[in-house]
Amino acid sequence: MVADLLVAVAAAGSAGVVYLAAAVRVVKQYERGVLFRLGRVSGDVRTPGLNLIIPFVDRLQKVNLQIVTLPVPAQEGITRDNVTVRVDAVVYFRVVDAASALVKVEDYKFAVSQMAQTSLRSIIGKSDLDDLLSDREKLNQGLELMIDSPAVGWGIQVDRVEIKDVSLPDTMKRSMARQAEADRERRARIINADAELQASKKLAEAAQQMAETPTALQLRLLQTVMAVAAEKNSTLVLPIPVELLHFLERGGRPSPPDRDRGQDRDRDRDRDRDQGQEQDRGPSPGHTDGGPQLPVTGTGSAPQVPLIDTGDPPQTPVTGTGSTPRVP
C-alpha cells in the first residue's frame, strides 16, 4: 500500500515537473513575447523574464527588438540625365510593435528588403548623376521616407538608410576623369595668370622707381652679375639693359639747350660770311645810285643796252663788237 502511494506521488511529481517544463518560457531583455491562445492573440505582449503558458493551448512567439542591419542588393537603373548606374544601400530598422510585426505582415524582414529595393530604383530614376555622387544626404532622407511610410503600419520603424556605392560605366568614368583634369588645368591657368598679373604690377612699380633713380639700375646690374658669377660657370653672360644704353648715349650728346645755342651760332656765322662776300664783290653792272638797276648785256668791251619804250616805233637793239657800235 505504501509502495503504491510512493509510486503515485513520484508519478505526480514527474508529471508536475514535465508540466512546468512545458509551461515555463523565458523572454530575454531584447525580446518581446506574443501569446497566441488557440490561434488568437491573448493579453498584452509578454515582457522580459519568466513567463508561464498553458501547454498545448498557448504558443508564445518571441520578436527581436534589436536594430536590424539589412543590406539592399545593388539595383541598376537609368538616372534622369540618361546615365546607367548601379546603386546599393543599407537599411537600419527595428520592431516597435511586436504584435503588428507578426500579425500584419508574413515576414517583415523580407517585406522591408523588397520595399527598400523598389524605393531605391525609384530614387535612381528621379535623380541626376550629380545628385547621386554629391548630394547623397538628401537622397538618403527621401529613401528613408519612402521605406518608412508603409513600414509604420507593420509595427516597424526605419532608423536610417544609407547609399553605399554608386557604380558607373567605364566610359562615364573616363569622361569624368577628363572633365576633372580639364577643370584642374583651368584653375591652374587662372592661378598662374593671377600670379603673372601681380608680378607685372610689382615690376612696373620697380621700373618706375628705377627710372626716378638711375643709380638703382646699375646696382641691380651688379647684383645680377654677382648672382651669375656665384654659379661658377666658365662663361659669364653680362646683360646690358636698354635703359643703360640710352643713359650712356644721352651722356655723350650735348643737352638740348646747348645744342640749340650751337645751331644759332652756326647760322649767325654763315650769315656774316655771306654779307662779307657781297661787300667784297661791290656794285653789280647797271647799278646806279638812287635809281633802279638795268640789266646790261654785250660782247667784248661794249655793253649792250636794251631800248626803252617811249611810245615811238620799235627800235632794233644795237649790238656791237669791239669799240664801235653798229646799227643793223
Side-chain angles (χ1 to χ4, degrees):
M1 186 69 181
V2 175
D4 294 338
L5 182 61
L6 292 175
V7 171
V9 171
S14 299
V17 171
V18 173
Y19 180 80
L20 288 177
V24 173
R25 294 289 185 272
V26 177
V27 179
K28 298 180 181 180
Q29 181 65 37
Y30 56 85
E31 294 177 339
R32 296 294 184 271
V34 180
L35 182 63
F36 291 92
R37 180 169 294 171
L38 299 177
R40 298 179 62 182
V41 177
S42 176
D44 297 333
V45 176
R46 299 302 176 92
T47 57
L50 186 62
N51 293 273
L52 297 176
I53 63 173
I54 301 175
F56 309 108
V57 176
D58 296 340
R59 183 172 63 88
L60 185 66
Q61 190 168 350
K62 302 175 184 179
V63 179
N64 192 341
L65 299 184
Q66 291 177 320
I67 295 177
V68 180
T69 303
L70 180 65
V72 180
Q75 302 296 314
E76 184 173 356
I78 301 176
T79 61
R80 190 166 58 182
D81 50 355
N82 297 326
V83 179
T84 303
V85 295
R86 291 178 59 88
V87 182
D88 55 353
V90 59
V91 180
Y92 302 92
F93 69 93
R94 62 189 181 92
V95 177
V96 294
D97 188 356
S100 298
L102 291 177
V103 175
K104 294 184 179 181
V105 63
E106 180 180 0
D107 186 353
Y108 63 88
K109 291 185 179 180
F110 181 75
V112 172
S113 176
Q114 295 299 315
M115 179 60 65
Q117 294 181 28
T118 55
S119 301
L120 182 59
R121 294 179 67 90
S122 178
I123 285 292
I124 293 174
K126 294 178 181 179
S127 305
D128 294 331
L129 180 61
D130 293 339
D131 296 336
L132 290 175
L133 296 177
S134 59
D135 196 7
R136 291 189 180 183
E137 188 65 26
K138 181 179 178 181
L139 297 180
N140 293 337
Q141 294 177 0
L143 188 59
E144 178 182 350
L145 182 61
M146 295 179 66
I147 300 174
D148 189 61
S149 297
V152 171
W154 305 336
I156 297 172
Q157 179 181 354
V158 178
D159 289 342
R160 192 174 183 85
V161 181
E162 293 287 344
I163 296 177
K164 293 197 300 183
D165 187 23
V166 179
S167 301
L168 300 175
D170 294 337
T171 56
M172 181 59 63
K173 290 181 180 179
R174 289 193 293 268
S175 300
M176 295 179 65
R178 289 195 300 268
Q179 180 181 0
E181 183 179 1
D183 186 63
R184 288 192 297 268
E185 184 177 358
R186 178 182 63 85
R187 290 198 300 265
R189 289 185 177 180
I190 292 175
I191 294 173
N192 190 16
D194 191 13
E196 292 291 340
L197 178 60
Q198 296 179 6
S200 62
K201 291 181 180 179
K202 295 298 181 181
L203 289 175
E205 294 177 1
Q208 184 178 2
Q209 187 67 26
M210 288 183 180
E212 296 177 357
T213 308
T215 309
L217 182 60
Q218 299 179 6
L219 295 176
R220 181 59 181 166
L221 176 61
L222 293 177
Q223 291 178 359
T224 304
V225 173
M226 292 177 61
V228 175
E231 298 293 335
K232 297 181 181 179
N233 296 326
S234 58
T235 302
L236 179 61
V237 179
L238 180 61
I240 300 178
V242 179
E243 289 79 2
L244 182 58
L245 296 178
H246 292 338
F247 176 75
L248 297 176
E249 184 179 0
R250 288 196 302 269
R253 293 180 179 179
S255 60
D258 296 340
R259 185 168 59 250
D260 295 339
R261 286 195 295 269
Q263 293 177 358
D264 294 340
R265 287 196 299 267
D266 292 340
R267 285 194 297 269
D268 294 340
R269 187 169 54 253
D270 294 339
R271 186 170 59 253
D272 295 340
R273 186 176 60 251
D274 295 339
Q275 292 177 358
Q277 291 178 358
E278 291 177 357
Q279 292 176 1
D280 294 338
R281 284 196 300 268
S284 60
H287 176 74
T288 58
D289 295 337
Q293 297 182 2
L294 298 177
V296 179
T297 60
T299 59
S301 58
Q304 183 177 1
V305 181
L307 297 179
I308 300 175
D309 188 6
T310 58
D312 296 335
Q315 298 178 2
T316 303
V318 179
T319 60
T321 61
S323 60
T324 303
R326 184 178 60 181
V327 179

